[in-house]
Amino acid sequence: MKIKLKQQGDIAIVTLTGECIEGDHVQVHQKITESLGNGGRDIVLDCSQLQSIDSRCLEALLSLQEEVADRLGRLVIGDCSEVVDRILYATRLTSRFDREASIEKALETLGAAA
């Protein structure tokens, strides 16, 4: 799995590519925590290129969502591949995450210009 991190003001745009499986949850958690340590407050996840996500990665995202909320920020999924969308639906996590149809919409939701 590849993780790309782009900072836009106090918003980190995190792009996940490939499959988020096995030990990848540690890398995801570290990268997003790193962006929070660099002054970031809000997170936009771009999952449009994510081909699969396992339960450990989902748990990591839920944990990160709580960490971001503790810092008075938000974690928003800004784009989602069809496969990941089905996984979120099957695990009944669709209501646990703020979601938008695109990265631009997610940035607008967080009050940033795309």
Side-chain angles (χ1 to χ4, degrees):
M1 182 186 67
K2 291 184 182 179
I3 301 174
K4 180 180 168 190
L5 182 66
K6 177 183 171 189
Q7 202 71 31
Q8 185 169 326
D10 63 353
I11 300 173
I13 302 170
V14 181
T15 304
L16 305 176
T17 305
E19 296 181 338
C20 188
I21 55 173
E22 297 177 24
D24 292 334
H25 68 283
V26 174
Q27 185 182 7
V28 170
H29 193 274
Q30 286 175 340
K31 279 288 192 183
I32 293 177
T33 302
E34 174 186 315
S35 75
L36 294 173
N38 291 335
R41 190 184 80 193
D42 296 315
I43 306 291
V44 172
L45 282 180
D46 179 354
C47 298
S48 63
Q49 301 301 311
L50 196 57
Q51 299 166 351
S52 182
I53 187 166
D54 72 5
S55 61
R56 286 192 177 202
C57 289
L58 289 172
E59 287 175 19
L61 293 181
L62 289 168
S63 173
L64 286 163
Q65 184 180 40
E66 290 176 15
E67 288 181 39
V68 170
D70 287 346
R71 294 173 177 255
L72 304 177
R74 291 176 61 195
L75 185 146
V76 179
I77 297 176
D79 200 353
C80 211
S81 69
E82 186 177 326
V83 171
V84 173
D85 193 46
R86 281 187 274 152
I87 291 170
L88 291 173
Y89 182 77
T91 56
R92 299 182 183 185
L93 292 175
T94 52
S95 63
R96 293 286 305 270
F97 292 105
D98 292 331
R99 298 174 59 202
E100 293 294 343
S102 67
I103 299 304
E104 293 77 18
K105 267 293 211 200
L107 290 170
E108 286 176 25
T109 297
L110 295 171

